[in-house]
């Protein structure tokens, strides 16, 4: 069975601070995908990143960066110089269907509510 | 990116009535779509996997007679909440993945259902 744990329920920071959202996952498979999604107050899920289990390279996209470490089963997400618009719930998710078949189900963590105050 | 449209965005219905929610992939074909449910301040829980032209696969604990899923075409899946009750009030969100493409699934904007 697969499981995603986001231990931080809520985080509050002041604008321009850096913030890291933690994600720890469990899976029996050696091949899998990891994701981060952003859910603003409007409710829709915004895709941020997908990472396959073979690629442990860290990734940076503007103010966002991700640190994938298989040794600790973690896929942490850092926002640099946070902005008020970053305020949202962030979900980490796991899919064990690396092949991309029809069984492409996502298991979500419970989410972290990030509030960035001006 | 690919667009998934969900309709309606919100709906209020009376107890005992049925409500249909549509999920459309606007610019791609999706053999498989997924329906999730999200309670306030909770995570998304997969309810069922919708397969075009065949029966949906429901997750354990989800009543298939209560939540009817129809995936009649490669661009449309519908979720019907039958005989709705206040405990069915929730945020329902669908996702779709382009057929044959090894890409991420895209999510609709969600439907907030309130049963009164």
């Amino acid at each position: 069975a697969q499981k995603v744990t986001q231990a931080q329920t809520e985080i509050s920071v002041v604008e321009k601070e850096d913030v890291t959202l933690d994600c720890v996952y469990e899976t029996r498979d050696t091949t899998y995908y990891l994701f981060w999604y952003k859910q603003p107050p409007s409710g829709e899920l915004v895709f941020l990143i997908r990472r396959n289990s073979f690629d442990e390279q860290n990734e940076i996209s503007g103010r966002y960066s991700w640190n994938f470490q298989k040794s600790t089963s973690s896929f942490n997400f850092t926002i640099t110089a946070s902005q008020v618009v970053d305020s949202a719930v962030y979900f980490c998710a796991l899919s064990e269907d690396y092949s991309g078949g029809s069984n492409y189900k996502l298991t979500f963590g419970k989410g972290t509510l990030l509030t960035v105050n001006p | 990116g690919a667009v998934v449209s969900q309709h309606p965005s919100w709906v209020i219905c009376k107890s005992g009535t049925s409500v249909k929610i549509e999920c459309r992939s606007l610019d791609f074909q999706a053999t498989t779509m997924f329906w999730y449910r999200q309670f306030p301040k909770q995570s998304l829980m997969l309810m069922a996997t919708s397969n075009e032209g065949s029966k949906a696969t429901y997750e354990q604990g989800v009543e298939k007679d209560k939540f009817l899923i129809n995936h009649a075409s490669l661009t449309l899946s519908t979720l019907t909440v039958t005989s709705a009750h206040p405990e069915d009030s929730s945020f329902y969100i669908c996702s779709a993945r382009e057929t044959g493409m090894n890409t991420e699934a895209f999510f609709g904007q969600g439907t907030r259902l309130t049963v009164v």
Side-chain angles (χ1 to χ4, degrees):
Chain A
Q2 52 190 354
K3 183 180 179 182
V4 177
T5 302
Q6 293 179 256
Q8 304 149 309
T9 306
E10 296 187 31
I11 299 177
S12 181
V13 300
V14 177
E15 208 170 18
K16 297 184 182 178
E17 282 186 29
D18 298 348
V19 58
T20 296
L21 309 181
D22 297 334
C23 173
V24 175
Y25 62 92
E26 294 177 30
T27 177
R28 294 178 202 165
D29 284 3
T30 56
T31 56
Y32 48 87
Y33 280 126
L34 292 164
F35 303 78
W36 276 95
Y37 285 90
K38 174 182 180 180
Q39 187 178 42
S42 53
E44 78 274 19
L45 279 178
V46 179
F47 167 80
L48 296 178
I49 190 171
R50 179 182 73 163
R51 173 54 51 86
N52 72 59
S53 53
F54 295 120
D55 184 1
E56 284 195 73
Q57 278 193 333
N58 291 334
E59 181 156 341
I60 298 174
S61 176
R63 295 184 297 107
Y64 296 168
S65 62
W66 291 269
N67 183 358
F68 176 31
Q69 293 198 351
K70 288 180 76 171
S71 61
T72 55
S73 297
S74 65
F75 187 44
N76 296 337
F77 172 34
T78 298
I79 301 175
T80 304
S82 59
Q83 300 176 1
V84 174
V85 293
D86 295 328
S87 298
V89 179
Y90 291 86
F91 289 99
C92 180
L94 167 71
S95 171
E96 289 180 335
D97 188 355
Y98 180 83
S99 66
S102 61
N103 193 33
Y104 191 80
K105 299 187 292 187
L106 292 176
T107 297
F108 286 86
K110 292 189 175 182
T112 298
L113 171 62
L114 173 64
T115 302
V116 181
N117 299 298
Chain B
V3 177
V4 175
S5 177
Q6 201 169 328
H7 178 80
S9 297
W10 59 271
V11 58
I12 301 174
C13 71
K14 292 184 177 181
S15 288
T17 62
S18 295
V19 174
K20 180 185 285 188
I21 302 170
E22 294 185 348
C23 179
R24 293 181 185 273
S25 55
L26 296 188
D27 51 1
F28 65 97
Q29 294 186 332
T31 304
T32 304
M33 294 185 179
F34 304 88
W35 288 96
Y36 294 83
R37 180 174 183 176
Q38 185 180 29
F39 290 104
K41 298 187 178 181
Q42 299 288 320
S43 186
L44 287 84
M45 301 298 295
L46 180 66
M47 298 175 64
T49 302
S50 172
N51 303 298
E52 187 267 336
S54 64
K55 291 182 180 180
T57 304
Y58 289 83
E59 295 299 302
Q60 192 172 10
V62 178
E63 300 176 59
K64 60 181 180 181
D65 294 331
K66 173 76 171 173
F67 299 100
L68 299 179
I69 291 173
N70 185 289
H71 195 152
S73 77
L74 287 172
T75 59
L76 174 64
S77 175
T78 60
L79 168 68
T80 301
V81 183
T82 63
S83 187
H85 290 284
E87 57 265 31
D88 298 326
S89 298
S90 190
F91 188 65
Y92 294 88
I93 190 165
C94 71
S95 73
R97 202 154 168 274
E98 188 167 3
T99 302
M101 299 294 289
N102 190 13
T103 62
E104 63 275 9
F106 294 94
F107 283 82
Q109 66 268 48
T111 297
R112 190 163 303 283
L113 170 64
T114 302
V115 185
V116 297

